[in-house]
């Protein structure tokens, strides 16, 4: 039943999003926006969604206090100094909706409805056409459940070439971030790349690690293409 109902709906953050998406008053206009065939057509409909009432509900629901109570562990806000986090989220959400068709953005579809309008135009892993490909590769996946530093120390130096660290540095101080990046970079081969996002905190190597170089051009290009609007920045660091 859990799999049939959808594993994606079981996460804490997804459940939190569903509380916002459950507001039926907006579903009709969301469906109309989804049916837009051009960004110009979509923009004409957005004022019907982004009303003063919508803004008020959004700012209240995604406030720092409500997020730390219902959306994410409160410990994850230890280094967040920004008080009005919801204002930044709302600004980025509106900007994204003015630049990217809802029809082509399955992240926004899920955020607004807790579902997808068309599975074949959503995450690659849920497409029926990709099932056999994933089935063939399932044995190549190695799931590790231990601290990253402990795991890396069991590997040879220069073992990895790619690393996606999500927004792990959100939960570290600036000094901890520099120390951590400096340490793990030893386990990446030359020209290896480490990617990560910033959410509420500004974190990067900040040119303080001799082994790492921030690839500013590709970082900015990829950030601008990102369908997800939660994050304030994206970095690709390359090992020299």
């Amino acid at each position: 039943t859990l799999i049939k109902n959808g594993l994606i709906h079981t996460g804490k953050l997804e459940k939190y999003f569903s509380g916002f998406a459950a507001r039926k008053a907006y579903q009709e206009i969301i469906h109309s926006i989804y049916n837009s065939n051009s960004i110009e057509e979509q923009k004409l409909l957005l004022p019907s969604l982004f009303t003063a009432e919508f803004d008020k509900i959004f700012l209240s629901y995604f406030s720092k206090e409500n997020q730390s109570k219902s959306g994410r562990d409160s410990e994850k806000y230890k280094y967040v100094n920004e008080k009005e986090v919801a204002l930044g989220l709302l600004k980025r959400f509106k900007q994204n909706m003015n630049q990217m068709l809802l029809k082509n953005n399955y992240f926004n579809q899920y955020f607004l409805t807790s579902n997808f309008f068309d599975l074949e135009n959503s995450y690659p892993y849920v497409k029926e056409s990709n099932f056999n490909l994933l089935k063939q590769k399932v044995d190549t996946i190695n799931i590790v459940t231990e601290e990253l530093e402990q795991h890396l120390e069991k590997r040879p130096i220069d073992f990895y070439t790619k690393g996606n660290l999500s927004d792990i540095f959100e939960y570290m101080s600036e000094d901890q971030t520099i120390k951590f990046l400096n340490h793990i970079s030893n386990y990446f081969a030359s020209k290896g790349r480490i990617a990560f996002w910033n959410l509420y905190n500004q974190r990067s190597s900040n040119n303080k690690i001799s082994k790492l170089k921030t690839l500013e051009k590709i970082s900015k290009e990829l950030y601008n293409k990102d369908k997800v609007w939660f994050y304030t920045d994206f970095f690709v660091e390359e090992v020299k």
Side-chain angles (χ1 to χ4, degrees), residues 9 38 59 101 215:
H9 307 305
S38 68
L59 293 173
L101 277 172
L215 301 181

Side-chain angles (χ1 to χ4, degrees), residues 106-163:
Y106 44 85
F107 290 103
N108 277 349
Q109 291 174 31
Y110 190 86
F111 175 72
L112 289 167
T113 68
S114 287
N115 219 322
F116 305 108
F117 289 95
D118 177 13
L119 283 179
E120 284 299 308
N121 191 27
S122 63
Y123 292 97
Y125 72 84
V126 300
K127 293 182 180 181
E128 189 174 354
S129 55
N130 286 335
F131 176 77
N132 287 327
L133 177 64
L134 292 173
K135 188 176 180 180
Q136 292 166 13
K137 293 181 177 293
V138 70
D139 291 331
T140 67
I141 298 171
N142 181 27
I143 298 175
V144 178
T145 55
E146 62 182 342
E147 293 292 329
L148 179 57
E149 289 174 290
Q150 294 174 356
H151 169 71
L152 290 174
E153 287 168 1
K154 297 175 184 176
R155 301 296 181 190
I157 297 297
D158 300 343
F159 181 80
Y160 285 104
T161 58
K162 303 173 189 68

Side-chain angles (χ1 to χ4, degrees), residues 77-110:
Y77 295 86
K78 182 178 180 180
Y79 297 104
V80 177
N81 295 318
E82 185 182 353
K83 293 182 179 179
E84 301 297 335
V85 297
L87 275 174
L89 289 172
L90 181 60
K91 179 182 177 181
R92 293 193 292 277
F93 177 45
K94 288 183 175 181
Q95 185 176 14
N96 182 281
M97 289 288 285
N98 273 281
Q99 295 175 343
M100 197 173 294
L101 277 172
L102 181 59
K103 182 175 290 185
N104 297 332
N105 192 335
Y106 44 85
F107 290 103
N108 277 349
Q109 291 174 31
Y110 190 86

Side-chain angles (χ1 to χ4, degrees), residues 67-80:
Q67 284 187 45
S68 60
K69 181 176 70 174
S70 307
R72 308 163 83 219
D73 193 307
S74 59
E75 273 297 303
K76 291 181 171 143
Y77 295 86
K78 182 178 180 180
Y79 297 104
V80 177

Side-chain angles (χ1 to χ4, degrees), residues 12-225:
K12 183 175 182 179
L13 191 60
E14 285 73 21
K15 288 179 179 178
Y16 176 58
F17 286 162
S18 71
F20 180 76
R23 289 166 169 77
K24 294 181 179 179
Y26 299 111
Q27 295 311 306
E28 185 176 342
I29 183 60
I30 288 168
H31 278 73
S32 295
I33 292 171
Y34 172 78
N35 288 322
S36 297
N37 293 312
S38 68
I39 197 65
E40 290 74 21
E41 185 181 345
Q42 178 167 299
K43 282 182 178 181
L44 292 174
L45 294 170
L46 290 179
S48 297
L49 175 65
F50 295 139
T51 61
E53 182 188 19
F54 180 94
D55 288 2
K56 182 179 178 181
I57 293 171
F58 187 106
L59 293 173
S60 174
Y61 195 83
F62 293 104
S63 66
K64 183 177 177 181
E65 293 73 24
N66 202 37
Q67 284 187 45
S68 60
K69 181 176 70 174
S70 307
R72 308 163 83 219
D73 193 307
S74 59
E75 273 297 303
K76 291 181 171 143
Y77 295 86
K78 182 178 180 180
Y79 297 104
V80 177
N81 295 318
E82 185 182 353
K83 293 182 179 179
E84 301 297 335
V85 297
L87 275 174
L89 289 172
L90 181 60
K91 179 182 177 181
R92 293 193 292 277
F93 177 45
K94 288 183 175 181
Q95 185 176 14
N96 182 281
M97 289 288 285
N98 273 281
Q99 295 175 343
M100 197 173 294
L101 277 172
L102 181 59
K103 182 175 290 185
N104 297 332
N105 192 335
Y106 44 85
F107 290 103
N108 277 349
Q109 291 174 31
Y110 190 86
F111 175 72
L112 289 167
T113 68
S114 287
N115 219 322
F116 305 108
F117 289 95
D118 177 13
L119 283 179
E120 284 299 308
N121 191 27
S122 63
Y123 292 97
Y125 72 84
V126 300
K127 293 182 180 181
E128 189 174 354
S129 55
N130 286 335
F131 176 77
N132 287 327
L133 177 64
L134 292 173
K135 188 176 180 180
Q136 292 166 13
K137 293 181 177 293
V138 70
D139 291 331
T140 67
I141 298 171
N142 181 27
I143 298 175
V144 178
T145 55
E146 62 182 342
E147 293 292 329
L148 179 57
E149 289 174 290
Q150 294 174 356
H151 169 71
L152 290 174
E153 287 168 1
K154 297 175 184 176
R155 301 296 181 190
I157 297 297
D158 300 343
F159 181 80
Y160 285 104
T161 58
K162 303 173 189 68
N164 182 337
L165 303 185
S166 187
D167 60 353
I168 189 173
F169 301 120
E170 192 73 14
Y171 323 129
M172 300 183 191
S173 68
E174 290 185 51
D175 287 343
Q176 288 173 326
T177 297
I178 297 299
K179 288 177 183 177
F180 187 84
L181 275 171
N182 187 49
H183 177 67
I184 68 170
S185 63
N186 293 318
Y187 299 93
F188 281 77
S190 178
K191 301 299 180 183
R193 293 182 176 183
I194 302 170
F196 55 91
W197 284 261
N198 283 177
L199 181 57
Y200 301 129
N201 295 324
Q202 291 301 308
R203 300 285 187 265
S204 71
S205 68
N206 202 24
N207 298 314
K208 293 180 179 179
I209 301 173
S210 59
K211 280 190 68 175
L212 290 178
K213 175 186 177 183
T214 303
L215 301 181
E216 295 182 4
K217 185 173 183 290
I218 192 171
S219 296
K220 188 59 65 179
E221 286 174 352
L222 290 172
Y223 177 75
N224 289 335
K225 289 180 181 179

